[in-house]
Amino acid sequence: MTNDKRVLILGGTGEAATLAAKIDEIPGVNAIASLAGRTQQPIPLTTTSRSGGFGGVVGLTDYLRQERIDVLIDATHPFAAKISFNAALAADECNIPRLMLIRPAWEKVPGDNWIEVESNQAAANVLPGLAKRIFLTIGRQELSIYSNLKDIWFLMRMIDAPEANSLIPIGKLILQRGPFSLEEERSLLQEYEIDAIVSKNSGGDATYPKIIAARELGLPVVMVQRPSVPNGEKVADVESVISWVRNRLYQIG
Ligand code: NAP
């Protein structure tokens, strides 16, 4: 073992992949990127990486100790709440500094017609009476919530196909990873005669063009709000994480 400092990055986002590469470039620092292992072809990582759940708070605590992690960066997706709370508890248990990288949420601008809801279940509840042909962009994990809406046709876009036996709403699946251009999004909405969108408020640029296209076409967007995040230090961009890590590692010595 060297004396290099070890930084664990909880990932699953584009920012996390970029961040891991940049942290690994800091002299005397090793970055280890962690993925949940759900996506068949994840964004390629250039650093040491691991894949799969840790086994809850206890498993993550053990991992932090066994791997002699000095600093933990939570760069998971804003909707990945469980791992963020696990990370908070495990880092506290090990007395390891922890930082959350949270990309800013999208903000409503003039011309947007958003119906803001707390959850996918709440989104499904508002759809009857609102629209007949929905562009559903919530990933694959909670698709079944919409499957009993038999009078609505769904265009569903996600990276990987849903599990074999999962309940899928009536409609069409598109398997694609962003970024998507405004032109692509506009023509998709027009081609499938979409009359409303359901989206998580993921933030970031890669999937924002659908929101612009909805605004241009005067379509309502049912926007699922983010879950709460644990207490602790937070920054909004990769460069701020790098500064924070440098500072923390300097303090650790
Ligand atoms: P979640 O509900 O917060 O986590 C579920 C479980 O997956 C966790 O308890 C943990 O298992 C494992 N896990 C999650 N992220 C992990 C990571 N980076 N490394 C190792 N294990 C991880 O998360 P989710 O919503 O299922 O999302 C899974 C992953 O996909 C996350 O890493 C997230 O960044 C990414 N992602 C999520 C979304 C979304 O909308 N939810 C969108 C894009 C990307 P154990 O308890 O066994 O440790």
Side-chain angles (χ1 to χ4, degrees):
M1 285 273 191
T2 67
N3 286 329
D4 284 358
K5 297 297 180 196
R6 292 166 63 74
V7 178
L8 177 66
I9 297 143
L10 300 174
T13 58
E15 295 96 312
T18 307
L19 181 63
K22 290 198 172 188
I23 287 184
D24 211 47
E25 284 169 7
I26 302 174
V29 176
N30 281 333
I32 302 139
S34 175
L35 298 176
R38 305 259 175 79
T39 309
Q40 282 168 18
Q41 290 181 315
I43 298 166
L45 293 162
T46 56
T47 62
T48 305
S49 63
R50 63 164 302 286
S51 181
F54 296 95
V57 179
V58 171
L60 181 51
T61 305
D62 289 347
Y63 179 91
L64 294 174
R65 290 199 172 117
Q66 278 162 18
E67 295 295 321
R68 300 189 304 108
I69 301 299
D70 295 291
V71 170
L72 175 58
I73 307 296
D74 175 2
T76 55
H77 189 271
F79 280 81
K82 187 161 182 239
I83 187 69
S84 292
F85 279 93
N86 287 357
L89 291 169
D92 283 356
E93 180 68 25
C94 299
N95 209 15
I96 289 173
R98 170 183 57 94
L99 179 68
M100 287 170 274
L101 168 58
I102 306 179
R103 62 170 90 127
W106 296 321
E107 300 285 345
K108 203 158 46 162
V109 301
D112 280 332
N113 175 10
W114 289 8
I115 299 159
E116 295 177 79
V117 295
E118 292 298 315
S119 63
N120 274 297
Q121 185 58 63
N125 292 346
V126 303
L127 294 185
L130 178 75
K132 288 279 183 203
R133 295 177 66 82
I134 308 271
F135 186 28
L136 186 60
T137 60
I138 53 131
R140 61 180 170 152
Q141 292 190 63
E142 294 184 84
L143 277 182
S144 65
I145 290 172
Y146 298 85
S147 64
N148 61 349
L149 298 172
K150 305 290 185 204
D151 294 333
I152 297 175
W153 186 90
F154 291 92
L155 180 65
M156 296 161 272
R157 186 170 67 194
M158 64 210 71
I159 297 173
D160 289 316
E163 299 293 326
N165 295 322
S166 55
L167 288 172
I168 299 172
I170 296 164
K172 180 182 166 84
L173 291 177
I174 302 179
L175 304 182
Q176 262 182 341
R177 188 201 298 274
F180 305 101
S181 72
L182 178 56
E183 292 68 29
E184 285 169 323
E185 300 296 58
R186 193 190 291 118
S187 45
L188 197 67
L189 296 177
Q190 289 173 325
E191 182 186 347
Y192 288 96
E193 298 177 349
I194 296 299
D195 46 18
I197 294 180
V198 180
S199 174
K200 293 176 176 177
N201 193 334
S202 297
D205 297 335
T207 58
Y208 188 63
K210 69 187 170 198
I211 307 299
I212 304 175
R215 185 186 310 139
E216 285 182 1
L217 297 170
L219 302 181
V221 177
V222 180
M223 188 67 85
V224 181
Q225 300 304 292
R226 296 175 170 198
S228 58
V229 292
N231 291 332
E233 291 182 76
K234 302 169 183 73
V235 295
D237 57 73
V238 166
E239 289 313 317
S240 303
V241 181
I242 306 291
S243 308
W244 187 93
V245 167
R246 284 184 185 279
N247 191 27
R248 279 307 173 115
L249 292 177
Y250 178 73
Q251 287 171 11
I252 293 170

mmCIF file of all heavy atoms in Angstrom, residues 25 43-44 48 84 88 101 133 141 143 163 171 188-189 203 224 242:
data_model
loop_
_atom_site.group_PDB
_atom_site.id
_atom_site.type_symbol
_atom_site.label_atom_id
_atom_site.label_comp_id
_atom_site.label_asym_id
_atom_site.label_seq_id
_atom_site.Cartn_x
_atom_site.Cartn_y
_atom_site.Cartn_z
ATOM 1 N N GLU A 25 -6.215 12.731 -11.107
ATOM 2 C CA GLU A 25 -5.057 13.502 -11.619
ATOM 3 C C GLU A 25 -4.347 14.278 -10.521
ATOM 4 O O GLU A 25 -3.230 14.760 -10.715
ATOM 5 C CB GLU A 25 -5.524 14.510 -12.690
ATOM 6 C CG GLU A 25 -5.824 13.866 -14.025
ATOM 7 C CD GLU A 25 -6.526 14.825 -14.968
ATOM 8 O OE1 GLU A 25 -6.659 16.027 -14.638
ATOM 9 O OE2 GLU A 25 -6.967 14.353 -16.026
ATOM 10 N N ILE A 43 -21.464 4.725 -18.456
ATOM 11 C CA ILE A 43 -20.498 5.694 -18.993
ATOM 12 C C ILE A 43 -19.104 5.193 -18.622
ATOM 13 O O ILE A 43 -18.847 4.870 -17.462
ATOM 14 C CB ILE A 43 -20.755 7.090 -18.387
ATOM 15 C CG1 ILE A 43 -22.147 7.589 -18.780
ATOM 16 C CG2 ILE A 43 -19.682 8.086 -18.815
ATOM 17 C CD1 ILE A 43 -22.632 8.786 -17.980
ATOM 18 N N PRO A 44 -18.167 5.084 -19.595
ATOM 19 C CA PRO A 44 -16.854 4.507 -19.288
ATOM 20 C C PRO A 44 -16.110 5.314 -18.225
ATOM 21 O O PRO A 44 -16.180 6.541 -18.189
ATOM 22 C CB PRO A 44 -16.115 4.587 -20.632
ATOM 23 C CG PRO A 44 -17.156 4.806 -21.652
ATOM 24 C CD PRO A 44 -18.303 5.483 -20.994
ATOM 25 N N THR A 48 -9.826 3.540 -11.277
ATOM 26 C CA THR A 48 -10.221 2.321 -10.572
ATOM 27 C C THR A 48 -11.719 2.402 -10.313
ATOM 28 O O THR A 48 -12.231 3.465 -9.966
ATOM 29 C CB THR A 48 -9.483 2.249 -9.206
ATOM 30 O OG1 THR A 48 -8.096 2.351 -9.461
ATOM 31 C CG2 THR A 48 -9.805 0.970 -8.470
ATOM 32 N N SER A 84 -27.557 8.032 -0.900
ATOM 33 C CA SER A 84 -27.055 9.273 -0.293
ATOM 34 C C SER A 84 -27.218 9.247 1.227
ATOM 35 O O SER A 84 -26.318 9.670 1.965
ATOM 36 C CB SER A 84 -27.780 10.493 -0.875
ATOM 37 O OG SER A 84 -27.412 10.648 -2.233
ATOM 38 N N ALA A 88 -24.234 9.102 4.083
ATOM 39 C CA ALA A 88 -24.137 10.042 5.212
ATOM 40 C C ALA A 88 -23.894 9.274 6.512
ATOM 41 O O ALA A 88 -23.009 9.625 7.309
ATOM 42 C CB ALA A 88 -25.417 10.867 5.299
ATOM 43 N N LEU A 101 -22.200 16.264 -4.382
ATOM 44 C CA LEU A 101 -22.246 17.043 -5.632
ATOM 45 C C LEU A 101 -23.679 16.944 -6.135
ATOM 46 O O LEU A 101 -24.134 15.856 -6.501
ATOM 47 C CB LEU A 101 -21.267 16.458 -6.656
ATOM 48 C CG LEU A 101 -21.401 16.985 -8.086
ATOM 49 C CD1 LEU A 101 -21.225 18.486 -8.163
ATOM 50 C CD2 LEU A 101 -20.393 16.291 -9.008
ATOM 51 N N ARG A 133 -51.753 11.296 -24.735
ATOM 52 C CA ARG A 133 -50.509 10.736 -25.284
ATOM 53 C C ARG A 133 -49.334 11.398 -24.570
ATOM 54 O O ARG A 133 -49.050 12.589 -24.765
ATOM 55 C CB ARG A 133 -50.444 10.980 -26.805
ATOM 56 C CG ARG A 133 -51.554 10.233 -27.547
ATOM 57 C CD ARG A 133 -51.541 10.529 -29.029
ATOM 58 N NE ARG A 133 -50.339 10.027 -29.690
ATOM 59 C CZ ARG A 133 -50.167 8.764 -30.092
ATOM 60 N NH1 ARG A 133 -51.116 7.862 -29.888
ATOM 61 N NH2 ARG A 133 -49.055 8.408 -30.698
ATOM 62 N N GLN A 141 -37.479 2.308 -13.459
ATOM 63 C CA GLN A 141 -37.747 1.680 -12.164
ATOM 64 C C GLN A 141 -39.177 1.837 -11.682
ATOM 65 O O GLN A 141 -39.681 0.975 -10.988
ATOM 66 C CB GLN A 141 -36.799 2.247 -11.093
ATOM 67 C CG GLN A 141 -35.359 1.844 -11.315
ATOM 68 C CD GLN A 141 -34.487 2.211 -10.119
ATOM 69 O OE1 GLN A 141 -34.676 1.711 -9.017
ATOM 70 N NE2 GLN A 141 -33.529 3.092 -10.329
ATOM 71 N N LEU A 143 -41.951 2.529 -13.731
ATOM 72 C CA LEU A 143 -42.906 2.499 -14.845
ATOM 73 C C LEU A 143 -44.243 1.884 -14.454
ATOM 74 O O LEU A 143 -45.302 2.321 -14.923
ATOM 75 C CB LEU A 143 -42.333 1.653 -15.989
ATOM 76 C CG LEU A 143 -41.357 2.306 -16.961
ATOM 77 C CD1 LEU A 143 -40.981 1.295 -18.025
ATOM 78 C CD2 LEU A 143 -41.948 3.557 -17.570
ATOM 79 N N GLU A 163 -37.152 -4.650 -16.514
ATOM 80 C CA GLU A 163 -37.020 -6.070 -16.152
ATOM 81 C C GLU A 163 -38.090 -6.877 -16.875
ATOM 82 O O GLU A 163 -39.194 -6.382 -17.119
ATOM 83 C CB GLU A 163 -37.223 -6.250 -14.638
ATOM 84 C CG GLU A 163 -36.237 -5.513 -13.755
ATOM 85 C CD GLU A 163 -34.822 -6.058 -13.872
ATOM 86 O OE1 GLU A 163 -34.689 -7.263 -14.061
ATOM 87 O OE2 GLU A 163 -33.869 -5.250 -13.793
ATOM 88 N N GLY A 171 -48.019 1.442 -24.776
ATOM 89 C CA GLY A 171 -47.308 2.437 -25.568
ATOM 90 C C GLY A 171 -46.061 1.872 -26.201
ATOM 91 O O GLY A 171 -45.995 0.682 -26.513
ATOM 92 N N LEU A 188 -39.610 14.502 -32.029
ATOM 93 C CA LEU A 188 -40.189 13.335 -31.344
ATOM 94 C C LEU A 188 -41.600 13.664 -30.818
ATOM 95 O O LEU A 188 -42.551 12.895 -31.009
ATOM 96 C CB LEU A 188 -39.273 12.943 -30.184
ATOM 97 C CG LEU A 188 -39.438 11.564 -29.582
ATOM 98 C CD1 LEU A 188 -39.030 10.476 -30.567
ATOM 99 C CD2 LEU A 188 -38.594 11.437 -28.316
ATOM 100 N N LEU A 189 -41.706 14.815 -30.175
ATOM 101 C CA LEU A 189 -43.009 15.210 -29.608
ATOM 102 C C LEU A 189 -44.051 15.377 -30.709
ATOM 103 O O LEU A 189 -45.219 14.989 -30.546
ATOM 104 C CB LEU A 189 -42.867 16.518 -28.819
ATOM 105 C CG LEU A 189 -41.967 16.461 -27.577
ATOM 106 C CD1 LEU A 189 -41.841 17.833 -26.931
ATOM 107 C CD2 LEU A 189 -42.503 15.461 -26.568
ATOM 108 N N GLY A 203 -32.397 18.105 -13.498
ATOM 109 C CA GLY A 203 -31.400 19.156 -13.682
ATOM 110 C C GLY A 203 -30.375 18.750 -14.737
ATOM 111 O O GLY A 203 -30.427 17.635 -15.274
ATOM 112 N N VAL A 224 -41.793 15.873 -11.606
ATOM 113 C CA VAL A 224 -41.650 15.199 -10.307
ATOM 114 C C VAL A 224 -40.510 15.873 -9.544
ATOM 115 O O VAL A 224 -39.379 15.970 -10.044
ATOM 116 C CB VAL A 224 -41.367 13.694 -10.494
ATOM 117 C CG1 VAL A 224 -41.256 12.993 -9.131
ATOM 118 C CG2 VAL A 224 -42.457 13.036 -11.343
ATOM 119 N N ILE A 242 -13.385 19.522 -6.692
ATOM 120 C CA ILE A 242 -11.916 19.405 -6.743
ATOM 121 C C ILE A 242 -11.282 20.324 -5.689
ATOM 122 O O ILE A 242 -10.403 19.905 -4.935
ATOM 123 C CB ILE A 242 -11.370 19.789 -8.155
ATOM 124 C CG1 ILE A 242 -12.064 18.986 -9.257
ATOM 125 C CG2 ILE A 242 -9.852 19.644 -8.216
ATOM 126 C CD1 ILE A 242 -11.758 17.532 -9.292
#
